[in-house]
Amino acid sequence: MVTIREIARAVGVSSGTVSRVLNYDPSLSISEPKRKAIIETAEALNYETPRNRNRHRLGSLRSATRMPALPQLATVHFLEADEELIDPYYIGVRLGIERRCRLFDTEIVKVFHADLAASAALLESMAGVIVIGKHRSADIEFIASHSAHTVFADFVPKREDFDCVFSDLGAATRTILDGLKQAGYQRIAFIGAHDRIDEPSQPYSEIRCRTYVDWQKANGTFDPALIALNDDCNNGQNLKLEVGYEQARALLSHDIRPDVILTANDNIAIGTARAALEAGLSIPDDIAIASYNDIPVAQFLNPALSTMKIPGEAIGETAVDLLIERINGREDYAKRVTIPTTMIWRDSCRHPKTC
């Protein structure tokens, strides 16, 4: 079995460089000829990533146990195609779904939000549908009325008769805030977005923001001036670098700036870091940053980003498992599966003290 070290030796680069190229790390700076040489060498030597080796092992297990192939499934995404491409977290959710479906020799048909209204016949022809991200109640009812089985990934619908898989962002937020407090931070700011799903007039309704507000009030430190919410984001999601950049500039322009900024995802954190550096501030000495998701580039930033790891691929895989159970006859009850999160403390902020 060919190893990364053997590919690195053949091309004349480090093993770390080979690993980052083969895992499509967007932060890696490498010449195109060298990148091409690594990929072509890996292909010539029939290299398989550990993930693909595991997938083939599982495929052999499926064949050995004569696990039947499934008919086609569909995903309905709250993002549009171009928006998903710049959001590594949701790419991870989709990859988890696709990898799990390959185990069952089934194909996934992708439907993005803009095409939903024209997709009734398509959804009806599918064995089941995985709905990714937040959707309005009207969209949920439309999908359910045209789908034999419906499962939600990274979203908890109000109806309790649907299966769903998600991570508890409320608990994750409290973990981050408790850690920042223990690390000595007092003025903790938050950058996120309004949740415009079904209650547009309710303030601070997005779960990360709502938990932040509740935590600050419980600690007697709530200050609305420390909250910066964007109005243009899609239902509190699809939070981009530009959002972090603009909102961080506003927060950092205050006479008394925050000690640390908690951002609703890593893309916002990257934009926040740029705004801080342009303002002549050092991270984490002058301003610290913490975030959510742990996208691949987070560990390669300078300084590396402290972030709550939300396992998007595991959420995608579990959504497929739930859908298979439904297709195979589970009708009497719905399941709500919570995938645990893990806080990764890196150098963008001080670490909480450990016992």
Side-chain angles (χ1 to χ4, degrees):
M1 185 176 296
V2 178
T3 66
I4 283 180
R5 184 174 298 177
E6 290 171 316
I7 297 171
R9 188 182 302 118
V11 181
V13 297
S14 70
S15 298
T17 297
V18 173
S19 177
R20 292 172 68 181
V21 167
L22 296 181
N23 283 284
Y24 303 98
D25 180 359
S27 69
L28 177 63
S29 177
I30 187 173
S31 68
E32 192 56 35
K34 188 70 73 174
R35 183 189 300 273
K36 183 177 179 181
I38 291 171
I39 294 174
E40 290 180 346
T41 301
E43 291 176 346
L45 296 175
N46 295 319
Y47 173 77
E48 286 189 315
T49 64
R51 178 181 297 168
N52 283 339
R53 291 197 296 269
N54 187 54
R55 188 185 74 229
H56 290 161
R57 180 184 65 80
L58 290 173
S60 298
L61 176 62
R62 184 196 61 78
S63 298
T65 57
R66 297 182 179 179
M67 189 180 296
L70 291 172
Q72 281 188 322
L73 307 177
T75 58
V76 176
H77 209 310
F78 83 101
L79 292 177
E80 305 306 339
D82 59 332
E83 294 173 333
E84 188 206 37
L85 288 175
I86 60 175
D87 194 324
Y89 170 73
Y90 281 106
I91 290 176
V93 174
R94 176 171 57 80
L95 290 177
I97 292 171
E98 292 176 351
R99 181 170 64 247
R100 201 64 171 169
C101 283
R102 282 194 292 269
L103 172 63
F104 296 98
D105 289 340
T106 191
E107 294 182 1
I108 283 286
V109 178
K110 292 186 287 187
V111 177
F112 292 96
H113 189 266
D115 303 318
L116 180 58
S119 301
L122 172 65
L123 298 180
E124 289 173 355
S125 69
M126 298 290 113
V129 175
I130 297 174
V131 182
I132 303 173
K134 291 185 177 181
H135 285 73
R136 293 178 174 84
S137 296
D139 293 334
I140 292 173
E141 295 302 323
F142 175 85
I143 295 168
S145 67
H146 296 286
S147 170
H149 305 283
T150 307
V151 170
F152 290 83
D154 199 55
F155 178 56
V156 181
K158 292 181 179 179
R159 281 179 49 177
E160 295 188 353
D161 55 331
F162 289 124
D163 287 11
C164 60
V165 52
F166 59 99
S167 287
D168 188 339
L169 295 182
T173 301
R174 289 187 290 273
T175 296
I176 299 174
L177 293 170
D178 288 342
L180 293 174
K181 180 181 179 181
Q182 189 179 10
Y185 292 107
Q186 298 180 1
R187 289 182 57 80
I188 305 173
F190 178 84
I191 296 178
H194 294 285
D195 190 338
R196 304 295 191 187
I197 290 289
D198 291 314
E199 301 174 277
S201 62
Q202 184 177 348
Y204 310 136
S205 56
E206 195 277 322
I207 182 61
R208 286 159 290 195
C209 183
R210 183 171 72 245
T211 304
Y212 165 87
V213 170
D214 291 343
W215 186 92
Q216 291 281 33
K217 288 181 176 179
N219 283 270
T221 52
F222 176 65
D223 181 355
L226 291 174
I227 302 175
L229 302 179
N230 186 273
D231 287 321
D232 298 327
C233 294
N234 186 354
N235 301 330
Q237 301 184 83
N238 187 24
L239 298 163
K240 302 177 182 179
L241 281 72
E242 295 85 354
V243 172
Y245 178 73
E246 295 298 335
Q247 299 294 350
R249 289 183 64 188
L251 284 173
L252 296 174
S253 68
H254 294 175
D255 292 337
I256 303 178
R257 66 170 179 261
D259 301 327
V260 58
I261 298 176
L262 174 59
T263 67
N265 72 9
D266 293 341
N267 282 347
I268 293 184
I270 294 170
T272 297
R274 176 184 170 185
L277 294 175
E278 287 186 0
L281 301 176
S282 173
I283 304 170
D285 296 333
D286 298 321
I287 184 72
I289 302 173
S291 184
Y292 304 76
N293 286 0
D294 192 35
I295 63 176
V297 74
Q299 61 184 308
F300 298 112
L301 298 175
N302 187 21
L305 181 62
S306 291
T307 178
M308 180 65 71
K309 183 177 183 62
I310 302 175
E313 291 193 26
I315 288 175
E317 291 175 347
T318 305
V320 176
D321 291 341
L322 292 173
L323 190 54
I324 290 169
E325 289 183 17
R326 285 292 196 178
I327 293 171
N328 286 337
R330 174 168 56 82
E331 298 179 353
D332 296 339
Y333 58 94
K335 287 186 177 182
R336 293 192 170 191
V337 180
T338 305
I339 303 296
T341 58
T342 305
M343 185 61 191
I344 310 296
W345 295 104
R346 299 192 180 104
D347 294 336
S348 65
C349 66
R350 295 192 299 269
H351 299 192
K353 298 177 182 178
T354 56
C355 299

